[in-house]
Amino acid sequence: MAQQGVSSQPELDRGSGESLVTPVRMDEICTAHDHLASIYRTADQQFEAVIPFVRAGLDRGERCLYVAGRRSREEVLEAMLEYGIDVAEAVESGALSIHEPAEIYGEDEPFDGEAVIDALRSTVEAAAREGYEGVRLTAELSWLLEADADLDRVCEYERSLNRFYADYDAVGLCQYDREAFPDEFLDGIIENHPHIAFDGTVGRNVFYAPPGERPDDVASTVDRKLRTIAARAETRSRLEYRDRGLTRLTTATRELLRADTDEIHDCASDVVRDVLGVLDAEVWLYDAETGDLEPTDGGRAAGVDGSSDVTPRWDAFVDQECRTIELEGDGAVGERSSAGGGVAVVPLGNHGVIRAASADPDAFDDVSMDLLRTIAANVEAAYDRADRERQLREQAGRLERLERINGIIRGVERGVVRADSREEIRRIVCAALARSDAYAFAWIGEPALDDVVAPLEWAGADDAGDELAATIDAWSEPTPAARAADTGRAQLVVDVATERSFDAWRSVALERGFRSCVSVPITYEDTVYSVLTAYTLDSAMTELDRDVLAELGELIGTAVHSAETETALGSPTVLELDLAVSDAETAPARLAREIDCSVAVEGYVPGDEADHLFVRPADDRVGRVEDAAADVVGIERCRRISADDGRLELAVAGPTVAAAVVDCGGKLRSIGVDRTGIDATVALPPSADVRSVIDELRRTFPGTELVARRTRTRSGPDSVRSALAEDLTDRQRDVLRTAYLSGYFESPRRSTGQEVTASLGISQPTFAQHLRAAQRKLCESLFE
């Protein structure tokens, strides 16, 4: 026995070969004012209609009355238990009651339908007073045959019940045995019930004649049946139309699965026009940049203006719900017009909507909308698939370009590591970029006066005389290179033709065929040495180019710094500058003011978290320095090198003149700090750009002034110094210098290995490893 109630799917009548009813769901018709007839052959068919009917009433808080007949009270209650109804609770509460026919229909002869209706009216009113939502009555009527009731009067009674149920909060289900009652009588029963349950189906009865509309003549009967035939023919036609649409849609789905994004637009519009037979169909896609729905090229096949349904299109997209509207002749939304039409809009997820227009205002009925929704689901899936494929292609393209760029970077890195001057580094970088298939032209320039970046080296472009191309960035007006130099950040121009930030530069770049570019600063620490700019002849550059070339700029800056440092260490001549820095807010300057005494900085070692300065106060004020250092902002630690030495090691956070000089590629000769300012002597490579160094120092210390400038020839052999410049790593040099300045090599030692490692923030094994390596290289330079 079925457990879920009456099926909502249509089945064929085994007798006639056609269904008598249009299928609906039981919960759609089991509401107040409904009147149903169940025509059954077996007990199973009887109960699979009536039990769900009763259960629905109990769930809705209605009072349910069951009139038993040939099925006993016990059989009925057992069937209800099998269907999951809590019979004991329902009976005890009074919500469910099982009755004999005489209790409801009386024992009077002949059958009196009006009396029964009066009794039902009283029952409904009493139930309302008791708080029930309504009354639900179902009766097995086989007892009428046993009572030899006048079946014509029963038909009149059934017809009267329709008026009763229309006026009262009640619903009824009349149960008739198909094998027990005569065909003529059942024909009348069918005509008098709006809904019929039969042979596993339940639905609206197309042969039902409402009260007051039952025909009394043959002509009316013929007309009604003709209308029924026409309605059924129309239904069959719509089903065939739907089947044809689904067949066409199956073919179209295969096309959509193979289509790219542009083909999907056209295919979707063609499918809608073909399947639904509408005048116009088009896809409107959401444009994330404009925030609007934009039409594709697949629509506008014929004559219905689309300007009138902007709001419905947008609402359908935002709410993800279908919209149908009717258009007047002028295209305005409103009442139907013979010159107007209908429009349906169905969402495509996040992609947009499909809009279909027809000259028939009734074109978009339930069947058409189901087909349109099915088409939209397939189109949305096609766009999803196309997006995934596009993303995979873009990802593959990015990975391929990344591999090419990384290959370029590796070549540049190998070249600049071996270079020993800025000029050679510039040549290597520009040539490597221009030789690659990723970039067409590259140049390096240095910031000059008036925000101009002056070209120093370039490579690429087919025209041998195209060195002038480098000057496209030598403008006083804003350029990508100038902005990179000014901000210290990489500048990406994806498409020169649409870039509006650099008008003068843009026109010159376009004349030379350049379409995209990246300008990156070449930096070390906070120092901007120069700017590298690379161009392409297409709009291929992305954030990937910007980020990779920005890292290249840092690599080149490190190489430049190393080359300049090694040049300064190994050259027989050096350029010395005497500098005066006033109003310098550094930790040593604050310390000198605190103790009112000058302080000499004898050594500097950069650190990861804090720099290390080795200082010696004048007038033997070491004790005062130790006491004052704890209160000076920027000094994290202060350590006396030894009890009988006047030097101290300061761990300093924040800017210092010593750090700024080293970042500019210089070497400290001496630094003195007192309450009035800082005096420093700095050694630079002979080829150093003094103006650039001073400008860079002034970025951090605006009070920097050049006091004197001179070229000095080193005295004595330089082989050891040159060897160290070539062989020692930065870390080995820092360890060796810190140990030396800390008095580690003096006898007796002024600092232990443990104290030096604590200053450097490294382990003792690491300290010993770097120190032995540095000492071995020093010995090799001396003895081999």
Side-chain angles (χ1 to χ4, degrees):
M1 197 179 297
Q3 299 296 310
Q4 300 302 322
V6 178
S7 169
S8 63
Q9 299 300 319
E11 296 183 8
L12 293 180
D13 183 335
R14 297 185 180 92
S16 65
E18 294 186 11
S19 174
L20 297 175
V21 296
T22 302
V24 294
R25 291 169 52 89
M26 175 63 84
D27 57 4
E28 292 178 349
I29 59 177
C30 292
T31 57
H33 313 302
D34 274 327
H35 185 200
L36 301 86
S38 173
I39 301 175
Y40 58 89
R41 285 191 172 95
T42 66
D44 283 351
Q45 291 179 357
Q46 177 185 7
F47 286 139
E48 72 181 0
V50 71
I51 303 303
F53 175 82
V54 173
R55 184 168 55 193
L58 294 173
D59 291 343
R60 290 190 174 106
E62 298 172 347
R63 183 174 183 184
C64 300
L65 288 72
Y66 191 108
V67 181
R70 291 180 178 176
R71 316 294 176 200
S72 67
R73 171 188 175 90
E74 289 70 23
E75 288 181 279
V76 172
L77 293 177
E78 182 181 355
M80 290 183 179
L81 282 170
E82 290 184 18
Y83 273 88
I85 295 177
D86 188 346
V87 173
E89 170 64 24
V91 172
E92 183 178 354
S93 67
L96 173 65
S97 56
I98 311 297
H99 301 270
E100 295 296 327
E103 297 178 53
I104 300 298
Y105 298 99
E107 299 179 353
D108 298 337
E109 290 288 350
F111 176 79
D112 188 351
E114 293 184 3
V116 174
I117 290 176
D118 288 340
L120 290 177
R121 188 179 293 110
S122 299
T123 300
V124 173
E125 293 172 351
R129 289 193 297 271
E130 295 174 19
Y132 289 99
E133 296 295 327
V135 170
R136 185 163 294 233
L137 173 65
T138 179
E140 180 188 341
L141 294 166
S142 299
W143 64 271
L144 291 170
L145 300 174
E146 299 169 1
D148 198 22
D150 184 345
L151 295 184
D152 289 338
R153 298 189 66 178
V154 173
C155 282
E156 291 295 331
Y157 159 74
E158 290 282 19
R159 189 158 44 251
S160 299
L161 277 178
N162 286 316
R163 286 187 288 269
F164 166 76
Y165 285 124
D167 295 335
Y168 289 87
D169 290 331
V171 57
L173 174 61
C174 305
Q175 306 175 45
Y176 290 98
D177 189 335
R178 176 69 177 85
E179 305 300 335
F181 287 90
D183 292 341
E184 295 80 1
F185 171 72
L186 289 178
D187 184 54
I189 292 301
I190 291 172
E191 290 193 345
N192 286 312
H193 285 81
H195 300 94
I196 299 293
F198 174 67
D199 200 16
T201 65
V202 60
R204 298 179 181 88
N205 178 14
V206 298
F207 294 112
Y208 168 62
E213 297 182 15
R214 184 173 176 83
D216 296 326
D217 58 83
V218 176
S220 298
T221 301
V222 171
D223 291 340
R224 179 168 57 85
K225 291 189 175 181
L226 287 174
R227 287 193 298 271
T228 299
I229 292 172
R232 291 170 66 81
E234 182 180 356
T235 299
R236 182 177 293 107
S237 175
R238 287 192 173 277
L239 289 175
E240 293 173 353
Y241 160 72
R242 182 176 181 274
D243 289 342
R244 288 195 304 272
L246 290 175
T247 300
R248 172 66 182 92
L249 184 56
T250 300
T251 304
T253 300
R254 291 195 291 269
E255 297 174 6
L256 286 169
L257 290 175
R258 296 191 297 266
D260 60 24
T261 302
D262 292 336
E263 292 172 339
I264 292 172
H265 310 329
D266 297 335
C267 185
S269 301
D270 291 343
V271 170
V272 173
R273 284 192 287 265
D274 189 13
V275 172
L276 300 184
V278 295
L279 287 174
D280 187 24
E282 61 189 344
V283 174
W284 290 67
L285 293 181
Y286 178 68
D287 189 327
E289 293 185 3
T290 64
D292 293 328
L293 291 170
E294 303 293 344
T296 63
D297 295 333
R300 298 270 165 248
V304 177
D305 181 18
S307 62
S308 59
D309 53 304
V310 174
T311 299
R313 282 199 306 270
W314 183 253
D315 290 344
F317 174 69
V318 172
D319 299 336
Q320 290 295 294
E321 294 180 356
C322 301
R323 293 287 192 277
T324 56
I325 61 173
E326 296 167 4
L327 304 178
E328 292 183 347
D330 59 358
V333 178
E335 299 297 327
R336 294 184 182 182
S337 169
S338 59
V343 171
V345 185
V346 180
L348 300 173
N350 293 330
H351 302 289
V353 298
I354 285 182
R355 172 190 180 273
S358 172
D360 180 6
D362 298 320
F364 300 105
D365 57 10
D366 291 343
V367 175
S368 296
M369 289 303 296
D370 284 344
L371 285 172
L372 189 54
R373 276 189 283 266
T374 303
I375 294 171
N378 283 276
V379 173
E380 180 181 352
Y383 278 124
D384 288 341
R385 186 260 312 154
D387 282 352
R388 288 192 298 271
E389 292 179 354
R390 175 182 53 77
Q391 291 168 4
L392 288 174
R393 288 194 300 270
E394 291 176 353
Q395 182 179 10
R398 286 194 297 270
L399 291 175
E400 181 182 354
R401 185 170 182 84
L402 177 62
E403 182 60 28
R404 292 204 309 271
I405 296 174
N406 281 336
I408 299 169
I409 301 305
R410 287 191 293 270
V412 171
E413 182 177 4
R414 288 191 296 269
V416 301
V417 166
R418 295 191 298 268
D420 56 8
S421 68
R422 288 194 188 190
E423 292 78 8
E424 184 178 1
I425 291 173
R426 289 196 293 262
R427 285 194 299 272
I428 291 172
V429 172
C430 291
L433 293 180
R435 279 198 309 267
S436 73
D437 59 355
Y439 306 105
F441 185 79
W443 69 279
I444 293 177
E446 289 187 353
L449 298 176
D450 300 325
D451 296 326
V452 170
V453 179
L456 297 174
E457 187 70 40
W458 52 84
D462 294 334
D463 185 356
D466 211 350
E467 62 186 44
L468 292 177
T471 63
I472 63 175
D473 282 87
W475 292 80
S476 59
E477 297 182 18
T479 67
R483 185 165 295 175
D486 182 52
T487 64
R489 296 191 299 271
Q491 303 296 312
L492 168 65
V493 178
V494 176
D495 190 343
V496 175
T498 59
E499 179 59 50
R500 303 300 179 190
S501 301
F502 315 104
D503 281 341
W505 162 86
R506 183 168 64 93
S507 60
V508 178
L510 288 174
E511 287 177 5
R512 287 162 173 79
F514 298 133
R515 295 300 305 277
S516 62
C517 85
V518 169
S519 291
V520 299
I522 295 175
T523 62
Y524 179 78
E525 301 294 344
D526 294 328
T527 301
V528 177
Y529 288 121
S530 52
V531 177
L532 165 65
T533 302
Y535 288 88
T536 68
L537 300 178
D538 55 25
S539 300
M541 286 203 186
T542 66
E543 289 82 0
L544 174 66
D545 295 81
R546 180 195 62 199
D547 296 341
V548 174
L549 290 180
E551 293 183 10
L552 176 61
E554 295 179 2
L555 170 66
I556 299 170
T558 302
V560 169
H561 174 75
S562 298
E564 296 288 1
T565 301
E566 292 176 5
T567 300
L569 291 173
S571 174
T573 62
V574 294
L575 181 65
E576 284 190 348
L577 307 180
D578 291 335
L579 304 175
V581 183
S582 60
D583 301 325
E585 279 302 314
T586 66
R590 287 190 287 270
L591 178 64
R593 290 196 294 269
E594 183 69 23
I595 64 175
D596 194 19
C597 173
S598 63
V599 176
V601 179
E602 298 183 349
Y604 162 77
V605 180
D608 294 332
E609 297 181 358
D611 294 336
H612 300 274
L613 295 179
F614 293 85
V615 303
R616 186 187 300 275
D619 302 332
D620 195 22
R621 299 192 183 186
V622 176
R624 291 187 60 187
V625 171
E626 289 182 298
D627 294 338
D631 298 324
V632 173
V633 176
I635 298 179
E636 297 185 354
R637 292 188 309 278
C638 176
R639 181 179 71 88
R640 185 184 296 201
I641 299 299
S642 67
D644 59 349
D645 192 346
R647 284 181 298 164
L648 299 101
E649 179 188 4
L650 303 179
V652 178
T656 63
V657 172
V661 168
V662 173
D663 289 343
C664 291
K667 186 178 186 308
L668 292 172
R669 292 297 192 197
S670 65
I671 295 183
V673 186
D674 59 23
R675 63 181 300 110
T676 62
I678 299 174
D679 295 321
T681 299
V682 179
L684 295 171
S687 60
D689 185 343
V690 175
R691 177 184 291 275
S692 297
V693 172
I694 299 300
D695 289 345
E696 187 60 36
L697 289 173
R698 285 173 177 169
R699 289 178 185 270
T700 307
F701 305 105
T704 302
E705 297 294 338
L706 177 61
V707 177
R709 169 179 174 168
R710 58 188 172 273
T711 300
R712 186 174 65 83
T713 302
R714 297 180 188 272
S715 59
D718 295 316
S719 59
V720 173
R721 187 183 302 275
S722 299
L724 288 177
E726 294 176 359
D727 296 338
L728 291 183
T729 66
D730 290 343
R731 197 55 168 163
Q732 290 167 357
R733 188 180 295 111
D734 290 343
V735 169
L736 190 62
R737 183 185 293 115
T738 303
Y740 170 74
L741 293 171
S742 298
Y744 178 78
F745 298 111
E746 298 181 19
S747 181
R749 284 179 173 168
R750 299 184 180 279
S751 295
T752 66
Q754 186 175 5
E755 290 173 326
V756 176
T757 57
S759 296
L760 290 169
I762 60 176
S763 66
Q764 284 188 301
T766 301
F767 168 72
Q769 178 183 355
H770 287 308
L771 189 61
R772 282 196 297 271
Q775 290 171 328
R776 184 181 66 254
K777 292 178 180 179
L778 178 61
C779 290
E780 289 174 352
S781 300
L782 287 173
F783 302 122
E784 294 184 6

